[in-house]
Amino acid sequence: MLVIDATEEAIWHFIGIFHLAEEHGRMRIEYDRLTARKAGPDLGPVEPTHQAADHPYQPLDYQPEIRYAPPYRPGEGLSADPAPPVLVLDHHFPRASVSPEVMSASMPNAGVPWSAKPPGGVVTPVPEWVLPVPGSVAVIVVQKTRLADDDQVNADAMREGVVDLQLLTDRLESLAAQAEQLGIALPVAMPADEPAFRLIAETFRQTDLPETEAPGAEVHARQGADAEGLYQNGVKVDARPDIDALMPAYRQEVAAEQAREAQEGAPVTSRDGPTSAGPTSVAGPGEIGQGHDLILGNNTLINQVTIHSAAVTAPVVAVAGGVYSYNIISQTNVWSDTDALGGLAAAAQGQASPTQGLNFASYTSFSNPMPVPQGDDDAPQYWVTATLEGSLISMNWIEQFNLMSDNDIASITLQANQTLLLMGENGALNHVSLLELGMSYDLIIVDGQIINLNAILQTNVLLDDDRIMVSDGHGGRISSGDNLLINDATIHQVGLSGVVATGADHAAMLAGAAAGDVSLPQSVLNDPAFQGLDLVRVLHIKGDMVSVNLVRQTNVLGDADQIEVYRDDLLQAGGEINVVTGSNLLVNAAVIAEFGVDATIYAGGEVYSDALLHQAELVMTHDPLMPTPPPGLASEAVLFLAEGMLGDDAGDGDFVPIGTNADVPADIMQTVLA
């Protein structure tokens, strides 16, 4: 066995490397390259083999609304018998006056053993057809946001005094009371049981447009068919407004700056405070930002609801009682924006943009007919019934409230080249999104009433009475208004319903269903909506059929700010002073979308149907905020009001030189020194 240690292996490698280097240095003649004895054959180009096989079947064209037809087992020997066997049906199938031949030819037999028997025999199919019963849905959501952000910075140094906070509270409560009077009063309470829905329906029926109008209010009302369409502040429009164009100027500047930074891909310069305080406080590349941003407003309050409901539906509905169908939209914007501006910068610029209010409502309905049946035009002879004990309820009860107080007090003396004072920019958001899917039937029988109620009640209340004093008149910019209040409501209904009075056959069918026997007469089976069906799916509701969507949204914001801004005398240079006490955004947005099919309702009672659209706007013109005068006189004034100076006898109160009534001292220098 040959064993080589590490040292010998290293020497061998070294000798080999040295040998190669020596051979290369001497430039010896290299050996000839080896060549193959026989060249490889030329196989030529490769021809691909087509492996695809032809299939004898071709796909059919797209055929929508294909109804499933179970296979039929042929009745062997029935046609040869002079007397076909009698078919005894299960209790799920009502007896009909048809011949046994028709029954045997049209009876589905999937999974049922059929057999032919001699005359006089009996064939009993036992199919298990179970029709599910729908369940009720009740969604109750109450969202409340309460925020108090009443900041105070050096409030004792306010040279012009401070307004009593109780005065601000009283003004805000007065605005809320005015908004409640302007909107539609719908005094409905959350239902506690099934009979409560009938009381709610009666309240909807008695609700009318408000007649009370406050002085200076702008009110627009529509009723019935006039309420359908798109309306903006009482005017019918063709499209929705551009909300981005209506945003406050300060918010548009912030959005433009963020878009520019995103497009350029440049990192945002770090600074103290939130990144949304404003574009003027962000320094550009290679420069030092010199600006003073004092943000006391720019609050955001949002209530948003989206309801998409595809509840239980059918092309034919028979109801023994009445039919209630109401849609109500009420939108109210109330605000007060009376500002008191002082100082050089305020007197030079003033308020640039006023507060805006927007009420937009959309109420639309569209037809959605049943698809054309693909089978024959024969009327069905069989039906299966699902019975619901009690009422079928689909309710969405949404209440959203945003209550915010941002009454700031600040006395600021600028002592730096750059300042950021962020006392606002609060946010409150309530959001609900629902998607509800139900079941479809061919016929719905209701022993009670049909109740379909939709209501959207929206209110915005804003108090933005500010007191601003800026002593510096160079480079000052004040935005004390420019608020935006938005109410956006949409009711979208797919599927039209035509209500007709019940005839004799429908009345007999309703009476039998109330007694516990659901039987469809031939006239009902001959309804065009049932043509092409093999089986009619029937839903029997022993109570009421209820659909209620109620959305109540309220935003209340108190943003009465008091600020005084001074520049230090030692500050040689300084940037622009930007004071923002407005630029608030209040939004109520709600969408109710109901999806169904065109239906014919046979009603045995009264029919109540109406639509109300109410849009109101009120701008309060209060006096500017002024500090409450102090009780009594100041201590300095007491020194000059001696006893008897304010009386009728003012002779003793005349001006007399000092020392006139005093005795002349012996030392004359004493008088001089005194």
Side-chain angles (χ1 to χ4, degrees):
M1 179 177 182
L2 179 62
V3 179
I4 302 176
D5 57 5
T7 303
E8 294 178 351
E9 183 179 2
I11 295 174
W12 287 14
H13 280 286
F14 174 77
I15 294 174
I17 295 174
F18 178 79
H19 175 72
L20 294 177
E22 184 181 9
E23 293 290 338
H24 181 70
R26 294 184 179 182
M27 298 182 63
R28 293 187 177 183
I29 300 174
E30 297 180 356
Y31 294 99
D32 296 337
R33 295 181 179 277
L34 297 177
T35 58
R37 295 181 178 179
K38 183 178 181 181
D42 186 8
L43 301 178
V46 178
E47 297 181 359
T49 304
H50 182 66
Q51 299 294 338
D54 296 334
H55 200 278
Y57 301 100
Q58 297 295 330
L60 300 177
D61 294 337
Y62 174 67
Q63 297 180 359
E65 303 298 336
I66 298 178
R67 294 182 178 274
Y68 172 73
Y72 293 93
R73 180 171 299 179
E76 299 178 358
L78 294 181
S79 59
D81 294 336
V86 180
L87 298 180
V88 179
L89 303 180
D90 189 73
H91 65 277
H92 292 283
F93 298 92
R95 300 179 181 273
S97 57
V98 294
S99 62
E101 292 83 1
V102 176
M103 288 186 179
S104 61
S106 60
M107 190 64 188
N109 57 354
V112 180
W114 290 79
S115 61
K117 293 186 178 181
V122 177
V123 178
T124 307
V126 188
E128 293 294 336
W129 285 4
V130 178
L131 189 62
V133 179
S136 297
V137 177
V139 178
I140 301 175
V141 179
V142 179
Q143 296 177 325
K144 294 183 179 180
T145 302
R146 180 69 176 93
L147 174 62
D149 187 32
D150 301 333
D151 301 322
Q152 295 186 9
V153 177
N154 202 15
D156 298 335
M158 297 287 289
R159 302 181 185 180
E160 296 186 359
V162 178
V163 178
D164 188 4
L165 295 181
Q166 185 61 38
L167 176 60
L168 304 180
T169 303
D170 295 341
R171 285 195 176 185
L172 189 59
E173 292 179 354
S174 176
L175 293 177
Q178 291 284 351
E180 185 178 358
Q181 295 178 2
L182 285 177
I184 293 181
L186 190 62
V188 293
M190 194 173 300
D193 49 17
E194 293 184 5
F197 289 99
R198 296 194 177 188
L199 298 178
I200 295 176
E202 187 64 23
T203 304
F204 270 74
R205 190 180 70 86
Q206 297 177 0
T207 300
D208 200 355
L209 296 173
E211 299 179 357
T212 303
E213 295 184 3
E218 183 179 351
V219 180
H220 305 280
R222 301 278 178 175
Q223 188 170 3
D226 295 339
E228 188 168 357
L230 308 180
Y231 287 91
Q232 178 178 341
N233 294 336
V235 180
K236 195 168 187 178
V237 296
D238 297 331
R240 302 181 63 89
D242 187 3
I243 302 299
D244 294 336
L246 299 176
M247 283 292 174
Y250 175 74
R251 292 175 179 261
Q252 294 185 16
E253 293 177 3
V254 174
E257 182 69 15
Q258 294 177 351
R260 183 192 64 80
E261 294 174 353
Q263 184 177 5
E264 294 178 357
V268 180
T269 304
S270 61
R271 57 168 184 153
D272 296 333
T275 58
S276 60
T280 57
S281 59
V282 180
E287 62 181 9
I288 301 177
Q290 294 185 355
H292 307 278
D293 291 343
L294 311 177
I295 313 299
L296 284 75
N298 198 33
N299 300 290
T300 303
L301 286 74
I302 298 178
N303 291 319
Q304 187 174 6
V305 174
T306 302
I307 301 175
H308 288 171
S309 176
V312 177
T313 182
V316 180
V317 180
V319 54
V323 177
Y324 292 84
S325 178
Y326 285 94
N327 295 294
I328 297 178
I329 296 178
S330 176
Q331 299 174 321
T332 305
N333 284 326
V334 177
W335 73 85
S336 177
D337 190 12
T338 304
D339 303 320
L341 307 180
L344 299 177
Q349 180 177 355
Q351 181 174 325
S353 301
T355 297
Q356 301 182 71
L358 172 65
N359 288 324
F360 178 79
S362 173
Y363 172 45
T364 56
S365 58
F366 299 92
S367 175
N368 184 25
M370 288 290 293
V372 179
Q374 299 296 325
D376 52 15
D377 296 336
D378 296 337
Q381 299 299 320
Y382 307 102
W383 61 90
V384 58
T385 304
T387 302
L388 175 63
E389 301 288 342
S391 299
L392 179 62
I393 299 174
S394 174
M395 183 188 72
N396 297 301
W397 193 285
I398 313 297
E399 295 184 0
Q400 296 177 329
F401 301 92
N402 282 323
L403 307 178
M404 184 181 296
S405 174
D406 187 31
N407 303 316
D408 302 323
I409 302 174
S411 177
I412 305 299
T413 300
L414 304 178
Q415 298 177 344
N417 292 334
Q418 185 176 4
T419 304
L420 173 61
L421 178 64
L422 186 59
M423 303 174 67
E425 287 203 357
N426 302 290
L429 170 63
N430 294 320
H431 177 73
V432 175
S433 179
L434 301 176
L435 175 60
E436 300 170 350
L437 302 179
M439 304 175 64
S440 61
Y441 296 86
D442 301 320
L443 173 63
I444 298 178
I445 300 176
V446 183
D447 293 348
Q449 299 177 351
I450 294 180
I451 300 174
N452 185 11
L453 308 176
N454 295 313
I456 299 177
L457 311 177
Q458 298 174 329
T459 303
N460 283 323
V461 178
L462 172 64
L463 174 63
D464 189 31
D465 296 345
D466 304 318
R467 291 180 62 249
I468 305 173
M469 197 285 294
V470 181
S471 63
D472 188 6
H474 303 284
R477 187 176 66 167
I478 298 177
S479 176
S480 59
D482 201 13
N483 304 288
L484 181 60
L485 289 73
I486 299 177
N487 287 322
D488 189 343
T490 299
I491 296 180
H492 184 77
Q493 293 179 319
V494 177
L496 303 180
S497 298
V499 182
V500 296
T502 57
D505 294 338
H506 288 87
M509 180 184 64
L510 291 170
D517 181 19
V518 178
S519 179
L520 306 187
Q522 189 62 38
S523 59
V524 175
L525 294 175
N526 292 334
D527 194 294
F530 302 151
Q531 292 183 0
L533 299 180
D534 298 329
L535 184 71
V536 179
R537 298 169 302 165
V538 181
L539 173 63
H540 178 209
I541 303 174
K542 290 188 176 182
D544 299 331
M545 185 176 178
V546 181
S547 175
V548 175
N549 295 303
L550 189 142
V551 178
R552 192 187 304 270
Q553 298 174 319
T554 303
N555 285 321
V556 178
L557 173 60
D559 185 34
D561 302 317
Q562 306 176 61
I563 183 171
E564 295 179 357
V565 184
Y566 306 94
R567 192 186 294 270
D568 193 275
D569 297 336
L570 300 179
L571 188 62
Q572 299 297 330
E576 181 185 33
I577 299 177
N578 182 26
V579 179
V580 178
T581 60
S583 301
N584 298 293
L585 178 62
L586 285 70
V587 178
N588 290 320
V591 176
I592 298 177
E594 294 182 323
F595 299 92
V597 296
D598 294 350
T600 302
I601 301 177
Y602 297 92
E606 298 292 334
V607 178
Y608 307 97
S609 178
D610 200 359
L612 300 179
L613 172 60
H614 181 76
Q615 296 177 330
E617 181 178 294
L618 176 61
V619 182
M620 303 296 293
T621 57
H622 293 294
D623 296 331
L625 295 177
M626 297 300 294
T628 305
L633 299 174
S635 58
E636 294 82 2
V638 178
L639 300 177
F640 297 96
L641 295 179
E643 184 178 358
M645 292 184 63
L646 299 180
D648 297 336
D649 187 7
D652 296 339
D654 296 339
F655 173 76
V656 179
I658 298 176
T660 302
N661 299 328
D663 296 335
V664 179
D667 188 1
I668 190 65
M669 294 303 296
Q670 181 181 356
T671 305
V672 176
L673 294 177

